[in-house]
């Protein structure tokens, strides 16, 4: 029987993900210490020496330097949560979720899958105590994997923000008018992503597409609309 050491986590950072992870660890009853750069460096050194697992929950562009300057001599396993970075000596485990300012319920944290880079220790050794699902990704694929996540999550958010803003400001329609539509679109994607697309693109309704482009002509999103048409057509041609 393998007896695993009780982990001693150190969470570094005080941003959104650090707050969410601290909250999740509290739910799970996992002991941790925390440090952020508003605290004394001696505290970091002492927490880092005692830690078995060090989560660098700081800006992507600060992770490599921070690990090199502050953690080069400590023995604990170092982990970052960036979906795109490859950093020597720091394993990548990306929680595939968006973390906003508000904390979530325990059940929501438990449904977050971690996409872990190949070559990292087994999940139970990398993030002991976390019951989350996990999957592996090759380091060379991380940039494209994360580009897809950012496109789907961030760009669809921009489109919905645009719709709600223009509803309110151009047409005097309350933003919540769009809620049922947004929920149903999301539900359809979750239940069968392949059949979730409706509308003029999938119907090949060129007259409506032209009207839309014309109606958007003074709007920076006209280019976005046209580039979606182009990408959709290129993708369909590739399939045939
Ligand atoms: N937010 C998400 O939805 C999400 C999802 C998945 C993965 N991630 C990953 O999680 C990590 C943290 O992201 P986040 O959203 O929590 O970012 P965030 O809210 O912007 O917080 C960034 C944290 O990094 C700290 N920091 C920045 N530069 C630093 C430095 N040189 N030394 C020490 N600390 C430094 C900041 O400290 P100050 O407060 O002092 O500036 C802050 O505590 C990133 O790797 C990100 O890619 C984020």
């Amino acid at each position: 029987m393998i007896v695993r050491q009780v982990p001693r986590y150190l969470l570094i950072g005080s941003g959104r993900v650090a707050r969410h992870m601290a909250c999740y660890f509290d739910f799970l009853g996992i002991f941790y210490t925390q440090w952020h750069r508003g605290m004394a460096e001696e505290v970091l050194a002492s927490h880092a020496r005692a830690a078995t697992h060090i989560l660098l929950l700081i800006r992507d562009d600060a992770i490599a330097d921070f690990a090199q300057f502050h953690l080069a001599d400590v023995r604990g396993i170092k982990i970052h949560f960036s979906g795109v970075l490859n950093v020597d000596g720091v394993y990548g485990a990306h929680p595939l979720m968006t973390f906003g300012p508000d904390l979530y319920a325990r059940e929501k944290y438990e449904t977050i899958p971690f996409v872990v880079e190949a070559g990292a220790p087994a999940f139970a050794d990398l993030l002991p105590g976390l019951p989350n699902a996990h999957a592996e990704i090759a380091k060379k694929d991380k940039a494209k994997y994360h580009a897809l996540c950012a496109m789907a999550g961030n760009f669809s958010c921009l489109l919905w923000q645009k719709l709600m803003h223009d509803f309110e400001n151009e047409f005097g329609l309350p933003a919540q008018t769009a809620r049922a539509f947004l929920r149903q679109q999301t539900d359809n994607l979750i239940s069968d992503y392949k059949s979730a697309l409706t509308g003029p693109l999938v119907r090949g309704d060129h007259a409506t597409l032209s009207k839309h482009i014309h109606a958007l002509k003074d709007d920076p999103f006209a280019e976005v609309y046209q580039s979606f048409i182009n990408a959709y057509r290129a993708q369909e041609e590739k399939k045939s």
Side-chain angles (χ1 to χ4, degrees):
M1 192 177 83
I2 300 170
V3 178
R4 289 202 158 94
Q5 190 187 7
V6 175
R8 290 177 66 89
Y9 279 99
L10 165 59
L11 311 188
I12 295 177
S14 59
R16 280 163 297 173
V17 170
R19 288 182 57 246
H20 280 273
M21 284 311 288
C23 173
Y24 188 27
F25 280 18
D26 287 337
F27 282 136
L28 294 173
I30 294 177
F31 174 80
Y32 63 89
T33 55
Q34 192 163 4
W35 183 88
H36 58 80
R37 62 181 170 172
M39 295 167 71
E41 292 208 4
E42 300 78 64
V43 178
L44 170 64
S46 115
H47 286 339
R49 269 196 307 274
T52 58
H53 294 76
I54 302 172
L55 305 188
L56 287 109
L57 307 178
I58 61 177
R59 279 171 62 109
D60 279 23
D61 59 7
I63 291 171
D65 283 352
F66 192 97
Q68 192 186 338
F69 291 124
H70 297 286
L71 304 172
D73 298 326
V74 300
R75 292 219 311 268
I77 295 180
K78 286 154 237 161
I79 301 141
H80 69 75
F81 277 15
S82 163
V84 70
L85 275 189
N86 290 315
V87 183
D88 282 345
V90 187
Y91 298 113
H94 180 237
L96 184 44
M97 177 50 69
T98 175
F99 297 98
D102 296 332
L103 297 172
Y104 303 150
R106 176 181 176 146
E107 297 70 36
K108 189 163 288 187
Y109 291 120
E110 286 176 343
T111 62
I112 300 171
F114 279 81
V115 178
V116 178
E117 68 189 30
F123 191 72
D125 296 318
L126 188 70
L127 291 167
L130 298 201
N132 299 62
H134 47 94
E136 189 178 281
I137 189 156
K139 283 185 176 185
K140 69 174 176 47
D141 293 335
K142 284 169 71 173
K144 180 153 185 197
Y145 154 81
H146 196 252
L148 294 171
C149 297
M151 267 202 301
N154 303 157
F155 296 176
S156 67
C157 180
L158 281 176
L159 294 176
W160 285 106
Q161 284 178 329
K162 162 85 177 155
L163 177 144
M164 291 179 198
H165 175 271
D166 288 5
F167 268 23
E168 284 188 339
N169 292 282
E170 278 191 39
F171 313 132
L173 289 173
Q176 73 247 33
T177 313
R179 257 188 220 167
F181 176 34
L182 171 56
R183 281 218 180 87
Q184 196 58 50
Q185 184 61 76
T186 306
D187 287 349
N188 291 354
L189 276 163
I190 289 171
S191 67
D192 179 11
Y193 79 90
K194 290 183 181 167
S195 65
L197 185 66
T198 59
L201 254 189
V202 78
R203 286 198 299 270
D205 178 349
H206 304 293
T208 302
L209 291 175
S210 300
K211 265 189 205 160
H212 288 172
I213 293 288
H214 183 71
L216 287 167
K217 72 177 182 320
D218 298 324
D219 192 308
F221 277 76
E223 270 186 60
V224 176
Y225 198 121
Q226 187 59 55
S227 70
F228 268 100
I229 296 175
N230 298 345
Y232 178 76
R233 286 186 181 151
Q235 180 183 259
E236 290 309 291
E237 267 172 35
K238 220 168 140 187
K239 278 191 206 158
S240 59

